[in-house]
Amino acid sequence: MSQPLNKLVGLGLDGSTPVSAHDIGDHTLRGIAVAVLMHGIIKYLAGPTPDIRREGIDEIMDVVVGSAMLAILYALLESPGTFLPTLTHEIASAVPINNGTALANYLPNATDPKSMLQWGYLMARQYFDNVTAWYGHFWGGVVGLSVLPWTSPLGWYAQQSTWYLQQMITYTIINLGFIYALNLIAYNAWWLLPLGIGLVIVRQTRSIGTFIVAFLIIVAIVGPLLTAYTVAALTKPLAELGALTKGWTTDISQFVGFLSVLFNQGYQQALTMQTYDVTVDVVLAMALAASYALYRILDEVIVDVLPL
């Protein structure tokens, strides 16, 4: 029996102590399953009426069938090198980008969902920091040029002529923040997966459990995909703007290239960012719809299998 399956179906009678947030979720699952199972056994053995005894056997079957079905789901999601990383790479392999290059080429060779999510939020944070730093330096340069009377027209020109670029950079920063937050939240909340599965077993908490499971599954797929798209789509325009370096570059050729892009209004870079922003917004909207759809699917399937 695999380790995730052992954790799931074990009744927590080995005297072990939780040592991490993930273990807390596992032990919570065991406690919920044992409580419902014992309640069903007592009602079945000591119920004063046939109806109560029937309710007891229903609760027992609820736990037995639910534990078996959801243990498979948990093992499938948690086992290294299996379902979610493979599914993410398969989806990315079907998405062509940058002259036919598959999006999967920008994903890491991670073997578990948490590693994918960790890469996702670290890379998104790196791009977020670089873009915000560049934008801050840009406005520092505009203000510096505007202070001196003989350079103030240049500062005014830089401010007004790059309005389109500024708008797209603003939206890009917002979307990078969303991608970073999604990956980070799912990474830190991954220990809730066994808790969510445990809540699904019990009828009164089934909706909460299905929401947790559906959210983590969708974000574990969409988060790394959006980060990979960020790397694929933004590396070239940000490098042309000089945004992938920390602070003002000291290389004179790069500085001249930055000025050239600036006085050409950065139109091509802004257009690429606009395409990126629209794509990310559409994917986020579709991910929200997919989360709700998966929530309903899990809820309906469980209602059919576990009729309590």
Side-chain angles (χ1 to χ4, degrees):
M1 186 177 293
S2 65
Q3 184 65 18
L5 204 59
N6 270 326
K7 289 184 177 182
L8 197 75
V9 300
L11 297 181
L13 303 178
D14 54 358
S16 60
T17 302
V19 295
S20 66
H22 195 282
D23 289 331
I24 292 174
D26 288 343
H27 283 251
T28 303
L29 165 59
R30 298 174 188 178
I32 293 172
V34 170
V36 177
L37 182 63
M38 295 303 298
H39 185 259
I41 292 174
I42 293 173
K43 289 175 69 174
Y44 175 68
L45 295 178
T49 65
D51 288 339
I52 294 179
R53 290 193 293 273
R54 189 180 304 112
E55 291 177 2
I57 193 65
D58 285 342
E59 290 187 14
I60 294 172
M61 292 306 300
D62 190 12
V63 174
V64 172
V65 176
S67 296
M69 183 180 68
L70 296 175
I72 296 172
L73 176 63
Y74 177 51
L76 191 66
L77 296 177
E78 281 286 282
S79 297
T82 53
F83 183 65
L84 285 180
T86 302
L87 179 60
T88 303
H89 276 274
E90 288 298 324
I91 294 174
S93 299
V95 179
I97 192 171
N98 292 343
N99 298 323
T101 303
L103 186 61
N105 292 335
Y106 298 92
L107 284 170
N109 294 321
T111 57
D112 64 277
K114 284 201 69 175
S115 297
M116 295 280 283
L117 290 168
Q118 184 179 37
W119 172 84
Y121 82 77
L122 290 175
M123 188 61 66
R125 178 59 185 270
Q126 177 182 334
Y127 274 73
F128 179 86
D129 290 343
N130 287 336
V131 176
T132 52
W134 182 90
Y135 199 34
H137 290 135
F138 168 80
W139 272 103
V142 169
V143 172
L145 291 173
S146 302
V147 168
L148 301 175
W150 53 86
T151 58
S152 59
L154 186 60
W156 178 258
Y157 171 78
Q159 176 186 352
Q160 295 298 316
S161 66
T162 58
W163 180 85
Y164 177 46
L165 176 62
Q166 294 177 53
Q167 291 294 315
M168 294 306 104
I169 287 178
T170 301
Y171 294 136
T172 297
I173 290 173
I174 293 172
N175 282 321
L176 286 171
F178 274 125
I179 296 171
Y180 166 73
L182 275 178
N183 283 282
L184 182 63
I185 290 172
Y187 174 79
N188 288 321
W190 195 254
W191 67 274
L192 288 173
L193 182 64
L195 175 61
I197 294 175
L199 294 175
V200 168
I201 296 177
V202 183
R203 179 186 56 190
Q204 289 79 3
T205 58
R206 191 166 293 156
S207 296
I208 300 174
T210 52
F211 170 78
I212 293 173
V213 173
F215 171 79
L216 290 176
I217 290 175
I218 294 299
V219 176
I221 297 172
V222 174
L225 286 177
L226 286 177
T227 303
Y229 178 64
T230 298
V231 176
L234 294 186
T235 298
K236 181 180 178 181
L238 294 182
E240 292 172 347
L241 290 174
L244 296 183
T245 59
K246 295 184 179 299
W248 293 104
T249 177
T250 56
D251 185 82
I252 186 62
S253 62
Q254 292 184 16
F255 182 69
V256 171
F258 169 77
L259 289 180
S260 175
V261 170
L262 183 62
F263 290 114
N264 286 326
Q265 293 84 48
Y267 176 79
Q268 290 299 326
Q269 291 76 21
L271 186 61
T272 302
M273 290 183 194
Q274 184 175 21
T275 303
Y276 166 82
D277 294 329
V278 172
T279 303
V280 170
D281 291 342
V282 171
V283 171
L284 287 175
M286 293 176 63
L288 179 61
S291 297
Y292 181 71
L294 183 59
Y295 162 78
R296 290 301 301 271
I297 290 172
L298 290 176
D299 194 48
E300 292 299 325
V301 168
I302 292 168
V303 167
D304 291 336
V305 176
L306 310 176
L308 268 183

